[in-house]
Amino acid sequence: MIIGICSDHAGLDYKTRLISYLLSKGHQVVNFGTDAPESCDYADYAHPLARAVEAGEVDCGIALCGTGNGMAITLNHHPGIRAGLAWNSAVGDLVKRHNNANVLVLPARFVSYQMAVGTVRAWLQAPFAGGRHQRRIDKITQL
Ligand code: RB5
C-alpha cells in the first residue's frame, strides 16, 4: 500500500519509527512532516495528508499528535476523510472494521510505541465489515 503519514512535534519520534516499520513491511510511505522537533501546529500537516488521501495519491493515512484530537478534528473537516482515533490493537481493528477509517490517528503522548505499532498493524490488517456499518457510515454525511 501507499501510506501517507504526518505528525506534529509530539508525534515525531513515533512517526519516524513507524515509517521504518511500514517500509520493512513492504509499504510505500509518503511523509507529510513535520521533520523538526520544534513546536508546530498539527493542522499544517493534517491538511496536506487529508488532501492526498482524498485525491487518491495515497491509499490511506496515519496521523500522530499528543492526544490525537487535534489531528482527528482537523482531518475530519475534509469530506472524504474518516479519521479514527485509536490507542490499542482492539480499537485499531474496530476503527477499520466498523468505521472504515481511511486515516488512523494515534495519541503519541498516551501510548507506548509498542501499543502504537500494534494499533497500526491491527488497523492495516482488518477488513471493513460493510453491511449495517456501511449504512451507518452513509448517515455521517447526511447533515
Ligand atoms: C501539542 O502540545 C499538543 O497540543 C498537540 O500535539 C495535540 O495533542 C493537540 O491536539
Side-chain angles (χ1 to χ4, degrees), residues 8-10 42 65-71 109:
D8 68 358
H9 54 288
Y42 48 77
C65 66
T67 65
N69 280 308
M71 285 291 183
R109 285 183 173 152

Side-chain angles (χ1 to χ4, degrees), residues 51 65 68 71 87 101 110 129:
R51 289 188 200 107
C65 66
M71 285 291 183
W87 51 91
F110 296 91

Side-chain angles (χ1 to χ4, degrees), residues 42-64:
Y42 48 77
D44 292 338
Y45 307 95
H47 288 308
L49 172 64
R51 289 188 200 107
V53 173
E54 287 182 307
E57 295 164 10
V58 296
D59 296 313
C60 59
I62 298 170
L64 306 97

